[in-house]
Amino acid sequence: MKEVLREIDTRIKRLEAEIELIESRLEFLDKIGASSKYKLLERQQSAGEIYILFFMLWGFIGLVLLLYLKYKYAEVLPFSLTPYILLMVILILLPAVYYAIPSRKPEEETPMDYLNKRERMARLLINRFYKPLKEALEKDDKAKLKELAEYISVGELARAAEELNEGNPKAMAYALYIYLARDTVSPEEIQEALALVKNKPLKLLLSTLLKESSSKQ
C-alpha cells in the first residue's frame, strides 16, 4: 500500500507542477498583452452580433411598413411591392438561419481559456480525487472509496481525468469497485480490470491486490 500512496503523491506533485507552469504562462501572456488582445477580439465579435440583430430589427420594421403600404395603397401604387417584400423577408431570414444552424462553427477557445480550464481541472483532480483517495486508502474508508468511484465516473471529474490524460474515468471507477470487493473477486476479475486501467496509482493498487490474491491461493 505504501507504493500506491507514494504514486498518488507523485500524481499530485505532477499536477501541482502543471498548475505552476500554467500560472507562469498566464503571467507571461498577460505581460505581453495577449489577454487584452483576445478581450478586444471578443468585444468586436459581440459588437458584430449587435449590428446583425439591429439589421434584423430594421428589416422587420421595413417589412411591416411594406406590408402596410401593399394592403392599404395597393390600388394607387404604380408598381408592385411584392418583390421588395420578398427581398426584405430574405434579408431577415439569412441572419436568423445562420444563428439557427446547429453545426455553426463554435466560438474559438483562446489560449487563456484553455490554460484556465486545465488549471481548474488539475485543482479539481487534486482536491476532489487524489487527496481524498489517499486518505480513504490510508483509513480503508470503504464508504469514501465508493463515493469516489461514483464521482470519477461522471461529471466534471470524469472530464478532468480525460482532458489531463489521467485515465479512462469508467475504468478508474471499475478499479475502485474491484478493490472494494477484493474479498470476493477472483484473480481473473482483477486481471481483467488491470488490463483496462491506465491510471498509474489505480493500476498499482490492482497489481498489489492481484499479488495478495495470488499469495492466498
Side-chain angles (χ1 to χ4, degrees):
M1 183 59 69
K2 288 182 179 179
E3 290 181 13
V4 176
L5 298 177
R6 278 199 296 269
E7 184 59 39
I8 293 174
D9 282 333
T10 300
R11 304 307 288 176
I12 290 173
K13 289 175 182 177
R14 188 190 69 79
L15 290 171
E16 287 174 340
E18 181 165 355
I19 290 170
E20 289 180 8
L21 182 60
I22 288 171
E23 287 175 344
S24 65
R25 286 179 180 175
L26 287 170
E27 186 178 347
F28 173 74
L29 289 171
D30 188 55
K31 282 182 179 179
I32 65 174
S35 57
S36 301
K37 173 188 171 184
Y38 284 106
K39 285 178 182 177
L40 178 62
L41 288 173
E42 287 175 358
R43 284 198 294 269
Q44 289 175 346
Q45 290 173 353
S46 298
E49 292 178 354
I50 291 172
Y51 290 141
I52 291 174
L53 290 173
F54 178 78
F55 178 78
M56 291 176 65
L57 178 62
W58 174 83
F60 180 75
I61 294 172
L63 177 62
V64 171
L65 179 61
L66 286 172
L67 289 171
Y68 174 77
L69 292 174
K70 177 178 175 63
Y71 291 104
K72 188 75 173 177
Y73 304 105
E75 295 180 357
V76 298
L77 288 174
F79 54 87
S80 174
L81 291 176
T82 301
Y84 299 97
I85 291 172
L86 291 175
L87 178 62
M88 197 63 70
V89 170
I90 292 171
L91 290 175
I92 294 171
L93 287 178
L94 280 177
V97 169
Y98 172 75
Y99 279 104
I101 295 175
S103 60
R104 187 166 65 93
K105 186 179 178 181
E107 292 183 9
E108 291 186 3
E109 188 178 51
T110 68
M112 280 73 68
D113 291 336
Y114 173 75
L115 291 172
N116 282 318
K117 180 181 72 175
R118 285 189 70 87
E119 181 184 10
R120 185 179 68 254
M121 287 181 171
R123 292 187 188 279
L124 192 69
L125 279 172
I126 290 171
N127 297 319
R128 290 182 56 189
F129 183 70
Y130 282 123
K131 285 185 177 180
L133 175 62
K134 181 182 177 183
E135 185 180 347
L137 289 173
E138 286 174 332
K139 297 178 180 179
D140 195 24
D141 187 340
K142 293 183 179 179
K144 187 64 179 178
L145 288 171
K146 184 179 179 181
E147 187 179 87
L148 286 171
E150 293 171 356
Y151 285 165
I152 195 62
S153 62
V154 292
E156 279 191 303
L157 270 179
R159 287 192 295 273
E162 288 180 326
E163 287 281 342
L164 300 181
N165 296 317
E166 292 297 308
N168 182 296
K170 300 292 185 184
M172 292 167 71
Y174 183 50
L176 288 174
Y177 284 125
I178 288 290
Y179 180 75
L180 284 168
R182 58 188 179 275
D183 295 330
T184 57
V185 295
S186 64
E188 290 75 19
E189 289 175 298
I190 300 172
Q191 188 67 53
E192 180 184 347
L194 190 59
L196 296 173
V197 177
K198 304 302 178 186
N199 180 270
K200 287 186 178 181
L202 295 180
K203 199 172 187 70
L204 187 56
L205 180 67
L206 289 179
S207 297
T208 304
L209 187 61
L210 186 62
K211 289 177 184 176
E212 292 174 356
S213 179
S214 300
S215 64
K216 289 178 183 179
Q217 293 184 343

